């Protein structure tokens, strides 16, 4: 199971937080995770133990660092470490496809869209789809549906 | 009206949308909080509007604010409004917000039931999808119960997009509403063979999660998963299945045997590291589950270790990490194979990556030997000094202690060295593990008699410099070591060089700042010290000196009497009175030392931690029986405790009576001795015969290395255990020389003879290493007839326990999921609950009438169940006893093959087939004694089966022969409601090269 997915930038500003289990301490968890992850060098391994708040020795943080952003998945032992690393890669590549050359600004202003993309990959903490083409197809179809519903009350800025 | 709507919409164009909000927050960096509270006010206004678009926009902004840590639970009702919008755009916003902030405590959540049900059955697949996604995040037990049936229907939806989501969410439903597991399981199992790879993967995912928690219930699925494993090309699915097998093999060693070959093939063939790694992991699990001494598996172990070495040597830190992780699993059962790679592990200890160092530390446990322990610990100690994070440092500390204490200190040749290491570790600032160090000090001092003198000298030095330990560490656990130090100095005070000095150190005013439980130990042990000083002085005929000591006690003890800690206070006041009494006697020139030391006569022996628990209950003793008749109900509850309390108070008052004269003391002492003699649980000073350790005549003759203690101890921070490294080297050198001499002599005499002195388990070089001191490590005491083991209590709050449900039993009508209108559905639950054992008992549902129906049902069910359960077990047994069929793995020649070939004709030949299976089993047994237990089981099965075979044949439906050939076993549940037979599902490879 995936317990949480966090995206934050190099300064610890959250860009996306998705908890698949209820935690009262979401903000502390984000801070702690940032603290743990950010002090690591670039060329060390992408696995990390010892996130205390998120609980349990069974849990691991698996993260990737892209330019200004950290993508962190907190998972338990039922997930394959390398598999999750690949999943992060798929996630980022999908974002790249949907936003066309994704950068931090896209995530800042369109966090709802990022959520929608993520929802096609991970559902309730379990991996739903790993095939990027399939994900993109579904996202496109939903955007189309949204567009067909859009008329006057949608400001044009919202569409990208 | 329409115009008004349009006008309203145009107005809304000037509302902030999400992007404006984000931009605004970025532009108000200095007064962000103020700006956001302003925005929240605006949002509150917007939520009051009738226009759903406005509300959706507001909720969208709230979702963003939630991420920043603002509470948005007040808007829960508005979120539900947006969820129920008819437009997908808004609905999605609503569900997203709900998934981010709803939880079980959200009270309006119950209002969503009908809305969600409506969305689930919406003609638009994306409405359904978005509802499923949202629900997966906030499903509650009520929602799960009410919607389980709807979701189950969706598992057979025509669109794979919906199917896969419905399958996945079932896991959450099971967790919240365990009763749904059995009714939904057949369909879930069906989805394992769904034509869509996404749905299949989802089903594998769910079953793997379920099986991980309660593997034994899913053993019967092994054949199906085995088939999937040999046919699937989706790495993600393969990884999950292989992980699942890793969880199943410990329960069924035969499964492991079957797995080894295909897994080995995969290891050789796959190019995906993730898959390779999981295969290696599962092979390790298999090898662990098979007993370790099987020679034909050494090749597999070698393969695993060799592959892992490649991973560890890889420049990719991730692979290195995982390699070490998996290696530590091998270490537990096959330490020798891992020890060969010691160089690699030691190298990883120096890695710059903390995660890797931690993993390497885990491995070190198996790497140490008598020979290199000192060296390795020295290395670790230097890491301790350098370590920055307390987590890593604490980890190092526990590892040092683990490594040294493992297997009854078997690797320690020099306990002086170990004590010094422990003392050095007390200088660690901010560690949480003071109690660990303390426990080790106590353990070593108690169990290694020869080291006591040295330990006491070290401990007294530690007490002397207690200010160093205590001052910097008020807030953390290192002062725990003082607990050990005080106790050791007190208990073994006869070894103290200068007891008076230690006594003074323990009576310093500063001591009162220590935690209560430590002070209590101080107080108690001060008396022990005092007793031994008295004895010394009286023997030396120095009554003045003895009186001085008494005076010191009388002067200093009052500071403890004032302690806020009850324990300290009580002990101190008792002891103070005692000492005052002694003072009086001393004034009359009465010798008291004998009497006082008698208080602490006898030696304490170590007792195993769980000894008490393991005392067997004597025959005929019923612990639950009443000793006296239970008090009648009329007696009020609170009377009794009151009486007890009253009694106790009286007794305490008596104890505190200050004027206990000598007679009284003597009487008490006598009583104590008497009681000790009669008390079977009191450990007497004379050791029982079986653990009388060859009290080697030469404890005194042991060459104790004299070292200058005062220097290193008084200069904090100076490593002192280092000197042992040098000493050790010299000693070894000497030994080697001697040995060489001996060997030469021996060789002259007998060339074949091997110079082995003790048959230890370790490597040759270890064997030759004689310990510096002859030490007896006293084993911990256990009660006679100790029970072999005690089950570890499971956590009663484990949410997964409710899912421990037998899935092979046929479904009772009562278990059908409630359909639609949930309130009614509940009442229609049928009465059989009571009769179905185990599982249903958990379900507390109101009993129902309708007896006739019930009786009938029960009969029917009973019959069916037995037959079926029987069959499930056999099927699995049969499958396990046959050889694997995959095309990839060429089936070795075994009689089992015959059985499979004959399978299609099953109906006529069933009993024969079974017999064949048995024969084959027998043959197996000849080769493999391990299988014997399974054979027994089988025999039983067979007997029972013969009785029932008639019934069964009738009820059995004929299976399509083709299907049977492809898979040796069809599961019982599938038997009754036959599935459309699919000609071996061909899986499409995923569109993109995934997972490499």
């Amino acid at each position: 199971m995936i317990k949480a997915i966090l995206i934050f930038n190099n300064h610890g500003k959250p860009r996306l937080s998705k908890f698949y289990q209820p935690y009262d301490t979401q903000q502390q968890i984000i801070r702690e995770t940032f603290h743990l992850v950010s002090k690591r060098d670039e060329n060390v391994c992408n696995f990390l133990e010892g996130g205390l708040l998120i609980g349990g020795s069974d849990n691991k943080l698996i993260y990737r660092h892209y330019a200004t952003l950290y993508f962190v998945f907190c998972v338990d032992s039922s997930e394959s470490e390398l598999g999750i690393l690949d999943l992060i890669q798929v996630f980022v590549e999908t974002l790249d496809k949907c936003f066309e050359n994704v950068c931090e600004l896209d995530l800042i202003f369109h966090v709802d869209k990022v959520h929608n993309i993520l929802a096609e990959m991970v559902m309730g903490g379990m991996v739903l789809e790993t095939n990027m083409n399939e994900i993109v197809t579904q996202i496109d179809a939903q955007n189309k549906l949204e567009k067909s519903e859009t008329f006057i009350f949608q400001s044009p800025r919202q569409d990208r | 009206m329409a115009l008004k709507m349009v006008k309203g919409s145009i107005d809304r164009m000037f509302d902030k949308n999400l992007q404006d909000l984000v931009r605004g927050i970025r532009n108000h960096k200095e007064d962000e909080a103020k700006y956001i509270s302003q925005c929240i006010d605006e949002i509150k206004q917007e939520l009051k509007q009738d226009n759903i678009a406005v509300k959706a926009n507001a909720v969208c902004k709230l979702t963003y604010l939630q991420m920043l840590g603002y509470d948005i639970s007040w808007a829960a009702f508005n979120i539900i409004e947006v969820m129920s919008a008819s437009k997908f755009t808004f609905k999605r916003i609503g569900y997203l917000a709900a998934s981010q902030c709803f939880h079980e405590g959200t009270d309006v959540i119950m209002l969503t039931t009908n809305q969600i049900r409506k969305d689930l059955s919406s003609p638009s697949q994306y409405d359904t999808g978005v509802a499923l996604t949202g629900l997966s995040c906030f499903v509650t037990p009520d929602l799960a119960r009410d919607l389980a049936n709807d979701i189950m229907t969706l598992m057979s939806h025509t669109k794979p997009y919906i199917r896969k989501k419905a399958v996945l969410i079932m896991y959450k439903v099971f967790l919240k509403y365990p009763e749904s597991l059995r009714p939904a399981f057949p369909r879930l199992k069906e989805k394992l063979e769904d034509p869509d790879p996404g749905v299949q993967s989802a089903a594998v995912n769910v079953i793997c999660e379920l099986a991980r928690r309660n593997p034994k219930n899913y053993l019967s699925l092994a054949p199906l998963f085995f088939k999937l494993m040999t046919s699937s090309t989706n790495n993600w699915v393969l990884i999950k299945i292989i992980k699942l097998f890793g969880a199943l093999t410990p329960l069924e060693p035969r499964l492991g045997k079957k797995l080894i070959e295909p897994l080995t093939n995969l290891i050789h063939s796959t190019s995906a590291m993730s898959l390779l790694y999981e295969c290696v992991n599962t092979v390790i699990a298999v090898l662990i589950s098979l007993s370790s001494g099987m020679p034909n598996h050494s090749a597999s172990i070698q393969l695993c270790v060799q592959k892992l070495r490649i991973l560890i040597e890889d420049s990719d830190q991730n692979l290195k990490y995982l390699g070490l992780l998996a290696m530590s699993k091998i270490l537990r059962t096959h330490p020798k194979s891992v020890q060969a790679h010691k160089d690699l592990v030691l190298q990883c200890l120096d890695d710059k990556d903390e995660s890797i160092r931690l993993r390497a530390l885990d491995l070190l446990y198996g790497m140490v030997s008598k020979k290199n322990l000192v060296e390795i610990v020295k290395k670790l100690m230097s890491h301790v000094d350098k370590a920055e994070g307390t987590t890593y440092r604490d980890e190092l500390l526990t590892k040092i202690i683990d490594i040294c204490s493992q297997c009854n200190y078997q690797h320690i040749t020099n306990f002086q060295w170990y004590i010094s290491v422990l003392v050095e570790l007390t200088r660690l600032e901010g560690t949480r593990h003071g109690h660990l160090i303390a426990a080790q000090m106590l353990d070593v001092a108690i169990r290694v008699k020869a080291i006591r003198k040295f330990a006491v000298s070290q401990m007294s030095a530690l007490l002397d410099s207690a200010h160093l330990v205590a001052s910097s560490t008020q807030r953390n656990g290192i002062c725990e070591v003082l607990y050990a130090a005080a106790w050791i100095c007190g208990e073994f005070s006869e070894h103290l060089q200068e007891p008076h000095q230690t006594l003074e150190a323990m009576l310093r005013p500063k001591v009162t700042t220590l935690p209560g439980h430590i002070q209590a130990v101080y107080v108690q042990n001060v008396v022990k010290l005092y007793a031994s000083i008295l004895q010394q002085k009286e023997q030396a005929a120095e009554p003045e000196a003895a009186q001085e000591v008494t005076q010191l006690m009388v002067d200093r003890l009052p500071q403890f009497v004032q302690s806020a800690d009850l324990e300290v206070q009580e002990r101190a006041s008792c002891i103070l009175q005692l000492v005052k009494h002694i003072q009086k006697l001393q004034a009359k020139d009465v010798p008291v030392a004998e009497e006082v030391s008698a208080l602490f006569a006898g030696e304490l022996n170590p007792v195993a931690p769980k000894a008490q628990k393991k005392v067997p209950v004597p025959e005929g003793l019923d612990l639950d029986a009443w000793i006296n008749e239970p008090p009648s109900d009329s007696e009020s509850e609170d009377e009794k405790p009151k009486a007890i309390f009253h009694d106790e108070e009286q007794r305490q008052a008596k104890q505190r009576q200050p004027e206990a004269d000598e007679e009284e003391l003597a009487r008490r002492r006598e009583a104590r001795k008497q009681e000790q003699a009669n008390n079977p649980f009191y450990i007497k000073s004379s050791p029982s015969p079986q653990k009388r350790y060859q009290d080697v005549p030469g404890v005194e003759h042991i060459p104790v290395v004299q070292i200058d203690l005062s220097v290193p101890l008084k200069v904090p921070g100076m490593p002192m255990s280092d000197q042992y490294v040098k000493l050790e080297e010299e000693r070894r050198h000497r030994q080697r020389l001697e040995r060489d001499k001996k060997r030469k002599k021996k060789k002259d005499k007998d060339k074949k003879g091997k110079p082995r002195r003790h048959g230890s388990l370790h490597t040759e070089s270890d064997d030759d290493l004689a310990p510096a001191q002859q030490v007896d490590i006293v084993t911990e005491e256990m009660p006679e007839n100790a029970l072999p083991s005690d089950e570890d209590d499971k956590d009663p709050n484990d949410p997964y326990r409710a899912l421990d449900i037998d899935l092979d039993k046929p479904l009772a009508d009562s278990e059908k999921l409630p359909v639609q209108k949930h309130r009614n559905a509940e009442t229609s639950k049928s009465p059989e609950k009571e009769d179905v054992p185990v599982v249903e008992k958990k379900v507390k549902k109101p009993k129902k009438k309708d007896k006739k129906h019930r009786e009938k049902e029960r009969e029917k069910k009973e019959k069916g169940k037995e037959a079926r359960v029987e069959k499930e077990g056999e099927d699995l047994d049969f499958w396990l006893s046959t050889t694997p069929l995959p095309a990839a793995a060429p089936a070795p020649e075994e009689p089992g093959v015959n059985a499979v070939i004959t399978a299609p004709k099953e109906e006529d030949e069933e009993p024969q087939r079974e017999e064949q299976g048995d024969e084959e089993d027998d043959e197996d047994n000849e080769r493999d004694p391990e299988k014997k237990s399974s054979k027994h089981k089988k025999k039983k099965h067979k007997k029972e089966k013969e009785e029932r075979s008639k019934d069964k044949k009738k009820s059995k439906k004929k299976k399509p022969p083709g299907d049977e050939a492809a898979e040796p076993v069809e599961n019982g549940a599938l038997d009754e409601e036959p599935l459309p037979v699919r000609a071996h599902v061909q899986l499409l490879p995923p569109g993109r090269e995934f997972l490499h």
Side-chain angles (χ1 to χ4, degrees), chain B residues 598-612:
Chain B
L599 279 176
F600 305 105
E603 196 173 343
L604 294 176
N605 289 338
V607 176
K610 283 181 183 165
Q612 179 78 54

PDB file of all heavy atoms in Angstrom, chain B residues 598-612:
ATOM      1  N   ALA B 598      24.145  -9.232  57.097  1.00  0.00           N
ATOM      2  CA  ALA B 598      23.226 -10.356  56.932  1.00  0.00           C
ATOM      3  C   ALA B 598      21.970  -9.916  56.175  1.00  0.00           C
ATOM      4  O   ALA B 598      21.276 -10.738  55.578  1.00  0.00           O
ATOM      5  CB  ALA B 598      22.842 -10.922  58.287  1.00  0.00           C
ATOM      6  N   LEU B 599      21.690  -8.619  56.230  1.00  0.00           N
ATOM      7  CA  LEU B 599      20.526  -8.104  55.496  1.00  0.00           C
ATOM      8  C   LEU B 599      20.636  -8.416  54.014  1.00  0.00           C
ATOM      9  O   LEU B 599      19.648  -8.557  53.325  1.00  0.00           O
ATOM     10  CB  LEU B 599      20.435  -6.582  55.669  1.00  0.00           C
ATOM     11  CG  LEU B 599      19.815  -6.060  56.948  1.00  0.00           C
ATOM     12  CD1 LEU B 599      19.903  -4.554  56.966  1.00  0.00           C
ATOM     13  CD2 LEU B 599      18.383  -6.509  57.076  1.00  0.00           C
ATOM     14  N   PHE B 600      21.868  -8.454  53.548  1.00  0.00           N
ATOM     15  CA  PHE B 600      22.053  -8.632  52.100  1.00  0.00           C
ATOM     16  C   PHE B 600      22.763  -9.948  51.785  1.00  0.00           C
ATOM     17  O   PHE B 600      23.435 -10.075  50.786  1.00  0.00           O
ATOM     18  CB  PHE B 600      22.836  -7.455  51.518  1.00  0.00           C
ATOM     19  CG  PHE B 600      22.198  -6.150  51.837  1.00  0.00           C
ATOM     20  CD1 PHE B 600      22.724  -5.319  52.799  1.00  0.00           C
ATOM     21  CD2 PHE B 600      21.032  -5.777  51.185  1.00  0.00           C
ATOM     22  CE1 PHE B 600      22.110  -4.128  53.099  1.00  0.00           C
ATOM     23  CE2 PHE B 600      20.419  -4.597  51.501  1.00  0.00           C
ATOM     24  CZ  PHE B 600      20.955  -3.761  52.453  1.00  0.00           C
ATOM     25  N   ALA B 601      22.625 -10.896  52.697  1.00  0.00           N
ATOM     26  CA  ALA B 601      23.289 -12.169  52.467  1.00  0.00           C
ATOM     27  C   ALA B 601      22.682 -12.868  51.261  1.00  0.00           C
ATOM     28  O   ALA B 601      21.542 -12.622  50.889  1.00  0.00           O
ATOM     29  CB  ALA B 601      23.158 -13.033  53.708  1.00  0.00           C
ATOM     30  N   GLY B 602      23.472 -13.731  50.721  1.00  0.00           N
ATOM     31  CA  GLY B 602      22.970 -14.508  49.583  1.00  0.00           C
ATOM     32  C   GLY B 602      23.301 -13.832  48.281  1.00  0.00           C
ATOM     33  O   GLY B 602      23.490 -12.616  48.218  1.00  0.00           O
ATOM     34  N   GLU B 603      23.373 -14.641  47.267  1.00  0.00           N
ATOM     35  CA  GLU B 603      23.760 -14.095  45.974  1.00  0.00           C
ATOM     36  C   GLU B 603      22.560 -14.101  45.044  1.00  0.00           C
ATOM     37  O   GLU B 603      21.724 -14.988  45.102  1.00  0.00           O
ATOM     38  CB  GLU B 603      24.864 -14.960  45.374  1.00  0.00           C
ATOM     39  CG  GLU B 603      25.574 -14.256  44.254  1.00  0.00           C
ATOM     40  CD  GLU B 603      26.769 -15.063  43.780  1.00  0.00           C
ATOM     41  OE1 GLU B 603      27.197 -15.972  44.522  1.00  0.00           O
ATOM     42  OE2 GLU B 603      27.261 -14.798  42.689  1.00  0.00           O
ATOM     43  N   LEU B 604      22.512 -13.107  44.199  1.00  0.00           N
ATOM     44  CA  LEU B 604      21.409 -13.038  43.239  1.00  0.00           C
ATOM     45  C   LEU B 604      21.834 -13.731  41.949  1.00  0.00           C
ATOM     46  O   LEU B 604      22.930 -13.500  41.451  1.00  0.00           O
ATOM     47  CB  LEU B 604      21.061 -11.585  42.947  1.00  0.00           C
ATOM     48  CG  LEU B 604      20.492 -10.818  44.131  1.00  0.00           C
ATOM     49  CD1 LEU B 604      20.282  -9.379  43.742  1.00  0.00           C
ATOM     50  CD2 LEU B 604      19.207 -11.440  44.614  1.00  0.00           C
ATOM     51  N   ASN B 605      20.987 -14.558  41.447  1.00  0.00           N
ATOM     52  CA  ASN B 605      21.288 -15.220  40.178  1.00  0.00           C
ATOM     53  C   ASN B 605      20.434 -14.611  39.073  1.00  0.00           C
ATOM     54  O   ASN B 605      19.307 -14.185  39.321  1.00  0.00           O
ATOM     55  CB  ASN B 605      20.991 -16.710  40.273  1.00  0.00           C
ATOM     56  CG  ASN B 605      21.988 -17.406  41.157  1.00  0.00           C
ATOM     57  OD1 ASN B 605      23.086 -16.899  41.370  1.00  0.00           O
ATOM     58  ND2 ASN B 605      21.601 -18.543  41.679  1.00  0.00           N
ATOM     59  N   PRO B 606      20.997 -14.604  37.882  1.00  0.00           N
ATOM     60  CA  PRO B 606      20.209 -14.047  36.783  1.00  0.00           C
ATOM     61  C   PRO B 606      19.038 -14.957  36.440  1.00  0.00           C
ATOM     62  O   PRO B 606      19.176 -16.166  36.427  1.00  0.00           O
ATOM     63  CB  PRO B 606      21.206 -13.984  35.624  1.00  0.00           C
ATOM     64  CG  PRO B 606      22.219 -15.009  35.950  1.00  0.00           C
ATOM     65  CD  PRO B 606      22.309 -15.068  37.439  1.00  0.00           C
ATOM     66  N   VAL B 607      17.923 -14.364  36.162  1.00  0.00           N
ATOM     67  CA  VAL B 607      16.737 -15.135  35.786  1.00  0.00           C
ATOM     68  C   VAL B 607      16.340 -14.722  34.376  1.00  0.00           C
ATOM     69  O   VAL B 607      16.391 -13.540  34.037  1.00  0.00           O
ATOM     70  CB  VAL B 607      15.586 -14.851  36.769  1.00  0.00           C
ATOM     71  CG1 VAL B 607      14.333 -15.572  36.329  1.00  0.00           C
ATOM     72  CG2 VAL B 607      15.969 -15.259  38.170  1.00  0.00           C
ATOM     73  N   ALA B 608      16.012 -15.699  33.573  1.00  0.00           N
ATOM     74  CA  ALA B 608      15.626 -15.394  32.189  1.00  0.00           C
ATOM     75  C   ALA B 608      14.402 -14.481  32.181  1.00  0.00           C
ATOM     76  O   ALA B 608      13.538 -14.591  33.049  1.00  0.00           O
ATOM     77  CB  ALA B 608      15.323 -16.679  31.447  1.00  0.00           C
ATOM     78  N   PRO B 609      14.356 -13.603  31.192  1.00  0.00           N
ATOM     79  CA  PRO B 609      13.314 -12.579  31.197  1.00  0.00           C
ATOM     80  C   PRO B 609      11.899 -13.137  31.256  1.00  0.00           C
ATOM     81  O   PRO B 609      11.035 -12.555  31.863  1.00  0.00           O
ATOM     82  CB  PRO B 609      13.537 -11.814  29.901  1.00  0.00           C
ATOM     83  CG  PRO B 609      14.732 -12.392  29.250  1.00  0.00           C
ATOM     84  CD  PRO B 609      15.267 -13.480  30.079  1.00  0.00           C
ATOM     85  N   LYS B 610      11.687 -14.254  30.612  1.00  0.00           N
ATOM     86  CA  LYS B 610      10.302 -14.735  30.563  1.00  0.00           C
ATOM     87  C   LYS B 610      10.079 -15.918  31.493  1.00  0.00           C
ATOM     88  O   LYS B 610       9.106 -16.646  31.366  1.00  0.00           O
ATOM     89  CB  LYS B 610       9.939 -15.131  29.133  1.00  0.00           C
ATOM     90  CG  LYS B 610       9.653 -13.932  28.262  1.00  0.00           C
ATOM     91  CD  LYS B 610       9.270 -14.333  26.876  1.00  0.00           C
ATOM     92  CE  LYS B 610       9.066 -13.121  25.996  1.00  0.00           C
ATOM     93  NZ  LYS B 610       9.035 -13.481  24.586  1.00  0.00           N
ATOM     94  N   ALA B 611      11.012 -16.110  32.431  1.00  0.00           N
ATOM     95  CA  ALA B 611      10.957 -17.300  33.263  1.00  0.00           C
ATOM     96  C   ALA B 611       9.612 -17.445  33.972  1.00  0.00           C
ATOM     97  O   ALA B 611       9.014 -18.505  33.994  1.00  0.00           O
ATOM     98  CB  ALA B 611      12.077 -17.276  34.276  1.00  0.00           C
ATOM     99  N   GLN B 612       9.159 -16.372  34.532  1.00  0.00           N
ATOM    100  CA  GLN B 612       7.918 -16.421  35.296  1.00  0.00           C
ATOM    101  C   GLN B 612       6.769 -16.953  34.441  1.00  0.00           C
ATOM    102  O   GLN B 612       5.973 -17.765  34.865  1.00  0.00           O
ATOM    103  CB  GLN B 612       7.592 -15.016  35.799  1.00  0.00           C
ATOM    104  CG  GLN B 612       6.310 -14.920  36.591  1.00  0.00           C
ATOM    105  CD  GLN B 612       6.485 -15.434  38.014  1.00  0.00           C
ATOM    106  OE1 GLN B 612       7.357 -14.997  38.745  1.00  0.00           O
ATOM    107  NE2 GLN B 612       5.661 -16.391  38.385  1.00  0.00           N
TER     108      GLN B 612
END
